[in-house]
Amino acid sequence: VYVRGLGQPNTNKFSIFRKGPEYRDPDTDAVLGYEAEHVGDGLVERFGDPATIHIVTSKKEVLKGDRVMAEIRDEIPEFIPRTPKAQIDGKIISVIDGVSLISQHQVVVLNRGNADGLEPGHVLAIYQDGKVIKDRIASDIADREKQDASKGREESYSFLDSVVDDARTVDRTLRDFLGTPITSTANVTVKLPAERAGELMVFRTFDMVSYGLVMNFHRPIHILDKVRNP
């Protein structure tokens, strides 16, 4: 392949990257960065503008517009699992390889980084956010209160009104006892509590984002699940 803008670096080993999706903070909608997908590696055969690079390894087809950077071999640090000193309250914003359900030993991206006190080796708990559901009983009670207010309990009932009310009371009692759903016009909702879904360990941090490895999980993990101090 031919590459422009290479200059005269002190190495002939280069890595090829492709710009991936942007990372956005789900709370502020701010752009935190962009994913850089490693496509392959190459050796410079001839410097110049353009330079000639021979591709020696590739994970997928190299395309026009891919970026080339001097190869950096990261040293593998010794991770000491520990709890962050700072209070962390973040979310999973992406998962490497783009799967919908996240499980053990998968890499996830967090919307917290160095600026928030995260360091390699920090262990975080993953919490599945509770769903918002309709409270059937509370909705039914709200319906009853609304009906009582509209009918005006201060007025005397006719015999027919009394019979209808008695029939409604018996019907509701039987439905409550049998567990039969009651159709109500009110919509009282409740947010269920967050449930712990697993744990992860941060292994690489940047200013605004971090990469974490899911160490274990107790239930399915999803994008936007929360991460906190264990």
mmCIF file of all heavy atoms in Angstrom, residues 92-109:
data_model
loop_
_atom_site.group_PDB
_atom_site.id
_atom_site.type_symbol
_atom_site.label_atom_id
_atom_site.label_comp_id
_atom_site.label_asym_id
_atom_site.label_seq_id
_atom_site.Cartn_x
_atom_site.Cartn_y
_atom_site.Cartn_z
ATOM 1 N N ILE A 92 -21.590 1.477 31.040
ATOM 2 C CA ILE A 92 -20.995 0.788 29.892
ATOM 3 C C ILE A 92 -21.559 1.445 28.636
ATOM 4 O O ILE A 92 -22.779 1.476 28.446
ATOM 5 C CB ILE A 92 -21.320 -0.712 29.917
ATOM 6 C CG1 ILE A 92 -20.678 -1.377 31.142
ATOM 7 C CG2 ILE A 92 -20.854 -1.382 28.628
ATOM 8 C CD1 ILE A 92 -21.068 -2.839 31.318
ATOM 9 N N ILE A 93 -20.684 1.986 27.790
ATOM 10 C CA ILE A 93 -21.172 2.705 26.603
ATOM 11 C C ILE A 93 -20.901 1.949 25.306
ATOM 12 O O ILE A 93 -21.448 2.306 24.266
ATOM 13 C CB ILE A 93 -20.560 4.116 26.516
ATOM 14 C CG1 ILE A 93 -19.029 4.043 26.458
ATOM 15 C CG2 ILE A 93 -21.013 4.959 27.695
ATOM 16 C CD1 ILE A 93 -18.377 5.393 26.232
ATOM 17 N N SER A 94 -20.076 0.919 25.362
ATOM 18 C CA SER A 94 -19.803 0.152 24.144
ATOM 19 C C SER A 94 -19.166 -1.173 24.542
ATOM 20 O O SER A 94 -18.711 -1.346 25.677
ATOM 21 C CB SER A 94 -18.865 0.930 23.210
ATOM 22 O OG SER A 94 -18.647 0.215 21.994
ATOM 23 N N VAL A 95 -19.169 -2.095 23.608
ATOM 24 C CA VAL A 95 -18.511 -3.384 23.815
ATOM 25 C C VAL A 95 -17.724 -3.715 22.556
ATOM 26 O O VAL A 95 -18.213 -3.525 21.435
ATOM 27 C CB VAL A 95 -19.534 -4.493 24.144
ATOM 28 C CG1 VAL A 95 -20.607 -4.582 23.067
ATOM 29 C CG2 VAL A 95 -18.844 -5.837 24.315
ATOM 30 N N ILE A 96 -16.506 -4.164 22.735
ATOM 31 C CA ILE A 96 -15.672 -4.529 21.587
ATOM 32 C C ILE A 96 -16.300 -5.722 20.886
ATOM 33 O O ILE A 96 -16.735 -6.678 21.517
ATOM 34 C CB ILE A 96 -14.242 -4.861 22.043
ATOM 35 C CG1 ILE A 96 -13.648 -3.683 22.808
ATOM 36 C CG2 ILE A 96 -13.373 -5.191 20.837
ATOM 37 C CD1 ILE A 96 -13.614 -2.380 22.029
ATOM 38 N N ASP A 97 -16.351 -5.652 19.559
ATOM 39 C CA ASP A 97 -16.965 -6.661 18.680
ATOM 40 C C ASP A 97 -18.471 -6.469 18.546
ATOM 41 O O ASP A 97 -19.123 -7.207 17.810
ATOM 42 C CB ASP A 97 -16.674 -8.100 19.129
ATOM 43 C CG ASP A 97 -15.199 -8.450 19.020
ATOM 44 O OD1 ASP A 97 -14.513 -7.817 18.186
ATOM 45 O OD2 ASP A 97 -14.730 -9.317 19.769
ATOM 46 N N GLY A 98 -19.038 -5.482 19.240
ATOM 47 C CA GLY A 98 -20.408 -5.056 18.987
ATOM 48 C C GLY A 98 -21.487 -6.076 19.217
ATOM 49 O O GLY A 98 -22.454 -6.134 18.469
ATOM 50 N N VAL A 99 -21.382 -6.916 20.254
ATOM 51 C CA VAL A 99 -22.443 -7.870 20.552
ATOM 52 C C VAL A 99 -23.516 -7.180 21.389
ATOM 53 O O VAL A 99 -23.291 -6.137 21.984
ATOM 54 C CB VAL A 99 -21.885 -9.096 21.298
ATOM 55 C CG1 VAL A 99 -20.929 -9.856 20.407
ATOM 56 C CG2 VAL A 99 -21.189 -8.680 22.586
ATOM 57 N N SER A 100 -24.703 -7.784 21.433
ATOM 58 C CA SER A 100 -25.805 -7.165 22.174
ATOM 59 C C SER A 100 -25.817 -7.590 23.635
ATOM 60 O O SER A 100 -26.157 -6.802 24.515
ATOM 61 C CB SER A 100 -27.143 -7.522 21.519
ATOM 62 O OG SER A 100 -27.307 -8.929 21.446
ATOM 63 N N LEU A 101 -25.444 -8.854 23.904
ATOM 64 C CA LEU A 101 -25.379 -9.351 25.272
ATOM 65 C C LEU A 101 -23.921 -9.561 25.647
ATOM 66 O O LEU A 101 -23.156 -10.174 24.907
ATOM 67 C CB LEU A 101 -26.153 -10.661 25.416
ATOM 68 C CG LEU A 101 -27.672 -10.569 25.231
ATOM 69 C CD1 LEU A 101 -28.300 -11.940 25.410
ATOM 70 C CD2 LEU A 101 -28.283 -9.583 26.205
ATOM 71 N N ILE A 102 -23.534 -9.038 26.804
ATOM 72 C CA ILE A 102 -22.147 -9.065 27.238
ATOM 73 C C ILE A 102 -21.974 -10.165 28.273
ATOM 74 O O ILE A 102 -22.786 -10.289 29.201
ATOM 75 C CB ILE A 102 -21.743 -7.701 27.828
ATOM 76 C CG1 ILE A 102 -22.040 -6.591 26.815
ATOM 77 C CG2 ILE A 102 -20.281 -7.687 28.223
ATOM 78 C CD1 ILE A 102 -21.994 -5.197 27.406
ATOM 79 N N SER A 103 -20.915 -10.955 28.131
ATOM 80 C CA SER A 103 -20.692 -12.047 29.066
ATOM 81 C C SER A 103 -19.241 -12.031 29.546
ATOM 82 O O SER A 103 -18.501 -11.075 29.320
ATOM 83 C CB SER A 103 -21.034 -13.392 28.410
ATOM 84 O OG SER A 103 -20.234 -13.602 27.259
ATOM 85 N N GLN A 104 -18.840 -13.107 30.185
ATOM 86 C CA GLN A 104 -17.518 -13.186 30.803
ATOM 87 C C GLN A 104 -16.398 -13.070 29.776
ATOM 88 O O GLN A 104 -16.495 -13.564 28.663
ATOM 89 C CB GLN A 104 -17.395 -14.501 31.574
ATOM 90 C CG GLN A 104 -16.170 -14.594 32.466
ATOM 91 C CD GLN A 104 -16.173 -15.871 33.288
ATOM 92 O OE1 GLN A 104 -16.828 -16.840 32.923
ATOM 93 N NE2 GLN A 104 -15.455 -15.875 34.401
ATOM 94 N N HIS A 105 -15.337 -12.352 30.150
ATOM 95 C CA HIS A 105 -14.108 -12.193 29.375
ATOM 96 C C HIS A 105 -14.295 -11.340 28.126
ATOM 97 O O HIS A 105 -13.458 -11.391 27.220
ATOM 98 C CB HIS A 105 -13.514 -13.558 28.986
ATOM 99 C CG HIS A 105 -13.131 -14.392 30.171
ATOM 100 N ND1 HIS A 105 -13.051 -15.773 30.114
ATOM 101 C CD2 HIS A 105 -12.831 -14.047 31.454
ATOM 102 C CE1 HIS A 105 -12.701 -16.238 31.307
ATOM 103 N NE2 HIS A 105 -12.562 -15.207 32.139
ATOM 104 N N GLN A 106 -15.343 -10.556 28.075
ATOM 105 C CA GLN A 106 -15.502 -9.601 26.987
ATOM 106 C C GLN A 106 -15.047 -8.219 27.451
ATOM 107 O O GLN A 106 -15.116 -7.891 28.636
ATOM 108 C CB GLN A 106 -16.949 -9.558 26.504
ATOM 109 C CG GLN A 106 -17.331 -10.786 25.691
ATOM 110 C CD GLN A 106 -18.659 -10.632 25.001
ATOM 111 O OE1 GLN A 106 -19.685 -10.556 25.665
ATOM 112 N NE2 GLN A 106 -18.671 -10.603 23.691
ATOM 113 N N VAL A 107 -14.588 -7.413 26.489
ATOM 114 C CA VAL A 107 -14.052 -6.089 26.789
ATOM 115 C C VAL A 107 -15.144 -5.050 26.562
ATOM 116 O O VAL A 107 -15.781 -5.025 25.505
ATOM 117 C CB VAL A 107 -12.827 -5.778 25.911
ATOM 118 C CG1 VAL A 107 -12.334 -4.346 26.148
ATOM 119 C CG2 VAL A 107 -11.705 -6.771 26.199
ATOM 120 N N VAL A 108 -15.341 -4.191 27.556
ATOM 121 C CA VAL A 108 -16.352 -3.144 27.470
ATOM 122 C C VAL A 108 -15.691 -1.783 27.634
ATOM 123 O O VAL A 108 -14.582 -1.663 28.165
ATOM 124 C CB VAL A 108 -17.451 -3.330 28.545
ATOM 125 C CG1 VAL A 108 -18.218 -4.621 28.314
ATOM 126 C CG2 VAL A 108 -16.848 -3.313 29.944
ATOM 127 N N VAL A 109 -16.396 -0.752 27.175
ATOM 128 C CA VAL A 109 -15.897 0.620 27.265
ATOM 129 C C VAL A 109 -16.750 1.369 28.279
ATOM 130 O O VAL A 109 -17.983 1.291 28.237
ATOM 131 C CB VAL A 109 -15.960 1.319 25.897
ATOM 132 C CG1 VAL A 109 -15.329 2.710 25.976
ATOM 133 C CG2 VAL A 109 -15.243 0.482 24.842
#
